[in-house]
Amino acid sequence: MKKYFLIICIAFIPVSIQAQWSLGGKAGINWSTINYPWSKLGDHADYLSGFQGGIIATYQFNNYFDMQAELFYSARGYTDDEFYLTDESGAVISNTYTCRTHYLDIPVLVKFFPCNRLNVQFGPQLGIGLSLSDKWKGINNDYSIYRDSAVDFSLAFGLGYEFNFGVFVDARYTLGLTKTIREVVKGFQGRNISLAVGYRVYL
């Protein structure tokens, strides 16, 4: 019995030795859009670029698995050049609508390393809506449609690469499961692609 207990303890030594915390930050760019509700199948929203940046905390279990939590600002939204604004006579005033949503995003990710330094990421993400601004091209804000961004829950999928001097690169796709605009009844789930570069310090 003592022999088996010793073997188990030895097996867990590499895990306990390698387990460690790291802290860092990252910044990058988003390309985001939304999924219109089924009632608007004849139209689609286009991608809108925006900035993201914040901090990360990672716990390394062993050579294969990390757990990473992040807190960062993200500028998302969408644009639509088939969404027409008309006057009382029916004449088109503008045909380009842009909606920008501002979020504090909190993803919690499991990172799996199938080979050295390359990782696959997956996990839930909570987005806390900070503000919303929308406008028509060439028109003032008197024609705004929406006022507030909603709390957004989504799933994040990604690939990353970590260099041995602390720098890392992430490419991520976020699939929104809930609406991103508070005033709408259904639809308007976010779709987001992001690229980010960061730096971490091991504690």
Side-chain angles (χ1 to χ4, degrees):
M1 181 65 69
K2 291 181 180 180
K3 181 177 68 174
Y4 292 126
F5 179 75
L6 181 60
I7 293 174
I8 293 173
C9 291
I10 293 174
F12 277 93
I13 286 176
V15 175
S16 60
I17 289 176
Q18 296 170 18
Q20 60 180 319
W21 285 95
S22 64
L23 298 175
K26 71 171 191 175
I29 187 170
N30 297 322
W31 291 274
S32 57
T33 185
I34 53 95
N35 179 43
Y36 278 144
W38 289 105
S39 60
K40 244 192 149 182
L41 286 176
D43 195 6
H44 69 277
D46 295 318
Y47 281 87
L48 183 67
S49 61
F51 170 80
Q52 68 164 228
I55 58 176
I56 67 169
T58 306
Y59 185 76
Q60 181 184 10
F61 291 102
N62 50 45
N63 288 335
Y64 298 101
F65 288 100
D66 287 3
M67 179 72 73
Q68 182 166 298
E70 304 177 1
L71 178 67
F72 62 91
Y73 163 79
S74 176
R76 301 191 243 148
Y78 69 97
T79 184
D80 189 341
D81 58 6
E82 298 180 5
F83 198 2
Y84 298 99
L85 176 66
T86 60
D87 59 19
E88 296 179 354
S89 66
V92 175
I93 303 176
S94 178
N95 66 343
T96 302
Y97 174 78
T98 300
C99 181
R100 174 78 69 183
T101 52
H102 303 270
Y103 275 89
L104 185 64
D105 287 328
I106 310 172
V108 178
L109 306 173
V110 174
K111 298 168 63 179
F112 170 64
F113 291 78
C115 57
N116 189 29
R117 306 195 183 283
L118 178 68
N119 63 81
V120 180
Q121 309 168 5
F122 172 76
Q125 176 174 295
L126 175 66
I128 300 174
L130 302 176
S131 64
L132 181 150
S133 60
D134 65 344
K135 64 180 181 179
W136 298 86
K137 184 177 180 180
I139 306 295
N140 59 35
N141 286 335
D142 293 339
Y143 291 92
S144 294
I145 300 176
Y146 305 116
R147 299 295 180 185
D148 296 304
S149 52
V151 173
D152 175 39
F153 183 76
S154 55
L155 295 176
F157 310 83
L159 291 173
Y161 188 85
E162 301 186 1
F163 297 91
N164 57 9
F165 47 88
V167 174
F168 64 89
V169 180
D170 283 342
R172 196 172 296 170
Y173 177 75
T174 307
L175 176 68
L177 304 178
T178 59
K179 64 183 183 181
T180 58
I181 300 174
R182 186 172 298 173
E183 291 90 341
V184 301
V185 177
K186 60 180 180 178
F188 291 82
Q189 299 93 348
R191 304 288 187 263
N192 189 63
I193 300 170
S194 64
L195 291 175
V197 178
Y199 183 80
R200 72 174 76 249
V201 177
Y202 290 92
L203 304 180

